[in-house]
Amino acid sequence: MTTSLQQIVDVAERLWPPSLAEEWDNPGLAVGDRAATVTHVHLALDATAETLAEARRSGAQMLLTHHPALFRPVRTLDAASATGGLLFAAARDGVALFSAHTNADSAPGGVNAVLADLIGLRDQRPLVPADDANADAGLGRLGRLPAGTTLGEFASDIARVLPSTASQVRVSGDFEREVSTVSLCSGAGDSLLQLPQVQATDVYVTADLRHHVTLDARAEGLPAVVNLSHWASEWVWLPVAARQLAEHLPQVRFTVSDLRTDPWDFAIAQ
Ligand SMILES: [Zn+2]
């Protein structure tokens, strides 16, 4: 029995419905022939020259990523350009590019839910519920820890379960402060920092936080913030996504890239 690219897209879009994507987003199929046969799908967080080469070397006919390959307008498919070159190479080498981005963030069991599970959050619910019949759908997660702990221990526990990166786990708040209620948003979570439901928790966990928004949030009363590597906070979703796809498509091989596409290569401790 052969499996077409379209059959894989159908399963992916049932797991991570495009209707859950943010308005500004562009998930879905970027490159590919929906009728083509696919026996092997490679998963990575980002579509880069390196992850595409890895997919090609492993014999995969599809690279499924979290971040869309096509996001900003592309003016050329010049093989020497960044995005245009990637699209050119994918088409030339017969590797389809597909992404599940904010739709996978908001889906039940998706990126945010995986991070919340890993942190051990109980009584999880979305931070910003989706306009959807499923109450588990929505951006970010709220929950509580099974037992109160200190902010320092909490951040150390997260550092242990995430892949290590130069970005590390940085914390704003007192090490000894007691924390039990948690809000989180995998990936860049600046935009949710001012929400009252975030401010009401003991600690907000996200990535890519900037200086001023973090200072403002602290001044407005948010007790503590844990800033993760964007890549690490979302990479943890990939093995779960691969398992979910394989349950529906047992005849297809799914592999997960462990290439670190976190852009930071090293840090100097001071
Ligand atoms: Zn992201």
Side-chain angles (χ1 to χ4, degrees), residues 66-67 187 230 234:
H66 181 47
H67 295 138
H230 187 137
E234 297 182 325

Side-chain angles (χ1 to χ4, degrees), residues 153-240:
E153 283 301 324
F154 173 64
S156 305
D157 289 345
I158 298 176
R160 268 194 291 277
V161 295
L162 291 185
S164 67
T165 59
S167 306
Q168 303 186 333
V169 173
R170 283 177 295 151
V171 184
S172 173
D174 291 336
F175 189 100
E176 296 295 344
R177 186 186 182 95
E178 286 284 319
V179 292
S180 77
T181 57
V182 178
S183 49
L184 70 80
C185 175
S186 56
D190 269 6
S191 61
L192 305 183
L193 202 51
Q194 309 299 334
L195 294 177
Q197 58 270 41
V198 169
Q199 299 272 343
T201 56
D202 296 329
V203 56
Y204 179 48
V205 181
T206 189
D208 279 353
L209 282 176
R210 285 170 297 163
H211 175 93
H212 288 295
V213 288
T214 311
L215 269 188
D216 289 351
R218 293 297 311 275
E220 285 161 15
L222 181 67
V225 175
V226 176
N227 190 56
L228 309 174
S229 145
H230 187 137
W231 174 83
S233 74
E234 297 182 325
W235 182 88
V236 291
W237 168 69
L238 295 177
V240 177

Side-chain angles (χ1 to χ4, degrees), residues 17-29:
S19 59
L20 289 175
E22 298 296 302
E23 223 167 279
W24 47 262
D25 201 5
N26 187 33
L29 189 65

